[in-house]
Amino acid sequence: MQQTQTEVDRLADMAKAEGRLGLDTEFMPEGRYRPLLCLVQIVVGEHVEVLDPLTSTFNPAPLAAVLADPAIEIVLHAGRQDVAILRREWKTTFTNVFDTQVAAGFAGFSAQAGYNGLLHDVLRIRLPKTASFTRWDARPLTDEQIAYARGDVEHLMPLADNIQARLTERGRLDWAREECVAIAEATDERDPLEVWRRLPRVSGLDPRERAVAQAIAGWRERTAAAEDRPVGAVVRDPTVVELAKRQPSGRRDLAQIRGITPDVVRRRGDDLIAAIAAGKEAEPIQLEEGDRSPTEAVDGPTIALAESLVRSRAQEAGLAYELIAARADLSPIVVAARRNQPEPDVRTLRGWRRELVGEELLALLAGRYTLGVGHGGRVEIKPVG
């Protein structure tokens, strides 16, 4: 399993000659701030190589250059986290990605299709998944683990070829490639000043409390990164929100907050109190209109109507609904239409999605179209009057 630099250089040269490389990784996220890269599986043509970054000392620069080369197609399945990890570990970028899970959604399969299920549906191949939840950071690896790792890329290229042929026949290949751009841009880097936005029920905080939540969450993020621990192991999300609400100014008050154990008070009490004080001194944070959750009683029925249109068009096009919209996309569209505001910058109103359903959706919300049930129980959209 140990690779020499010569072997890695040869693999990069093969990928350049082929113009294509298949990729997968195995990693361990548990107990760490960021996942630990344990294996990198690569296929070029029919040649499969399993690279072990934990036991080998090769320089990944030649392969990193391949991943960044727009002339070389990088094929993955559900590759968002693979891209993010390699971007960070190998100091590279991705420019020409084809993700078979994303592309499958344009070919009539589920947008969340697993690799094994997709292999069976497309190529009638079944792979054993016995080693999927094993300790990939333990050495030596077992024969079962190595076989499993190889299996994750051995059929990746024929799968991509089949899906691309289906998409070419339907005229959807460009749509799929457009969607894969987001995979190529994936990262696991987080801005400590922005992580507070993912806290639960954060929109219910007032402006001053949001500033405190931002300060606490930023401190927690930097602490977790420095100690290589999950952020929840420093302070859990609900506790951060409660701290932002109550804003204790001393250790005694801090100890009364649910989730703040005596150990947390002892080890982190001063830092937490300092973060709270900094947040109280910071500029209050006003939510932008797009960050506010729409009132369900007001916008819920209209969002459901919009969803009906999108689902109907997705079904007609043979696309997975999830590729086109989610409630998080439809809500700001509905709110903006109700308030006569400019279009929000959401994916449903961009690119191929706008062509497929976005324009109709805007017309429906503007009252220029109606939605009804037509022949055979199918949803129909018709001009008003």
Side-chain angles (χ1 to χ4, degrees), residues 279-337:
K280 291 167 70 174
E281 293 296 323
E283 187 73 22
I285 298 176
Q286 304 288 343
L287 284 184
E288 297 178 7
E289 200 62 52
D291 293 327
R292 301 180 190 276
S293 300
T295 304
E296 190 66 25
V298 175
D299 297 308
T302 311
I303 293 170
L305 187 70
E307 186 177 47
S308 295
L309 172 61
V310 175
R311 287 191 181 277
S312 176
R313 289 296 183 251
Q315 186 178 48
E316 292 171 4
L319 297 175
Y321 166 78
E322 297 84 357
L323 282 172
I324 304 173
R327 198 172 185 84
D329 301 306
L330 298 181
S331 294
I333 298 174
V334 168
V335 172

Side-chain angles (χ1 to χ4, degrees), residues 8-23 42-45 60-76 83 90 92-99 157 160 164 177 180 184:
V8 171
D9 292 345
R10 177 173 172 269
L11 196 58
D13 289 339
M14 290 171 60
K16 292 175 186 176
E18 187 80 13
R20 205 177 189 205
L21 175 149
L23 176 69
I42 290 176
V43 58
V44 180
L63 287 173
V66 167
L67 300 182
D69 190 340
I72 301 176
E73 181 182 58
I74 308 301
V75 179
L76 314 97
V83 168
W90 285 7
T92 189
T93 58
F94 288 74
T95 54
N96 184 4
V97 164
F98 185 81
D99 190 303
M157 295 316 208
Q164 288 184 1
R177 292 197 182 281
C180 288

Side-chain angles (χ1 to χ4, degrees), residues 47-58:
H47 178 79
V48 175
E49 193 74 49
V50 180
L51 306 180
D52 185 356
L54 298 186
T55 63
S56 303
T57 57
F58 63 85

Side-chain angles (χ1 to χ4, degrees), residues 106 175 178-179 319 323 350-356:
F106 292 89
W175 288 11
E178 178 184 329
E179 195 65 12
L319 297 175
L323 282 172
R350 295 195 299 262
W352 63 268
R353 293 180 179 87
R354 188 181 188 96
E355 176 187 342
L356 181 69

Side-chain angles (χ1 to χ4, degrees), residues 16-37:
K16 292 175 186 176
E18 187 80 13
R20 205 177 189 205
L21 175 149
L23 176 69
D24 188 43
T25 69
E26 305 297 342
F27 51 85
M28 290 291 292
E30 291 86 356
R32 298 176 174 87
Y33 178 66
R34 295 190 184 93
L36 174 69
L37 179 64

